[in-house]
Amino acid sequence: MESVIEISHLTKYYRSGIRGVLVRALSDVSFCVGRGEVFGLLGPNGAGKSTAIKILLGLLRQNSGQCLVFGEKISAKTKSKIGYLPEAPNFYKFLTAKELVVFYARISGMGAKAAGIAAEKALELAGLGDCLNRPLSTFSKGMLQRAGLAQAVVHNPALVVLDEPNSGLD
């Protein structure tokens, strides 16, 4: 089976406190995710799940080990094929749901007209089809999480990475 994600011997340290003591966040983590698979990282708070995701997406650098997405190191090309919902998305509350999702569609490379159509479809898929023009400031936490799901899938990515996707869902 073709691997979409290959993580091998991933290790990450952070410096903590005034003295800069090294704290190990990840130690020799290895796993593969094949095309079409649904994969979950499970563990207690502080186990390094979000850290591994951020390294995979190129948002953090590892101390050692290797991460490959679609067989290559993370790059602008590979990032364009990924949809990502962070653990705690922080959206501009003055935007409407559609404006938010159109924004993410546009930065994913979609044209204006295609982005508008895709945004409406993604919001419908997320259960927010009747809230397209409502400001995010009026949304519950669960509705904001659904808007986050819509922005993660609006550009029809080959890989969707969700960090704590059920947090706050109604």
Side-chain angles (χ1 to χ4, degrees), residues 22 37 77 88 94 127 145:
L22 282 179
E37 283 188 310
K77 177 184 164 192
F94 60 86
Q145 193 73 351

Side-chain angles (χ1 to χ4, degrees), residues 15 25 48 56 75 85 88 100 140:
R15 294 215 175 263
L56 174 73
S75 65
L85 174 63
L100 170 82
S140 68

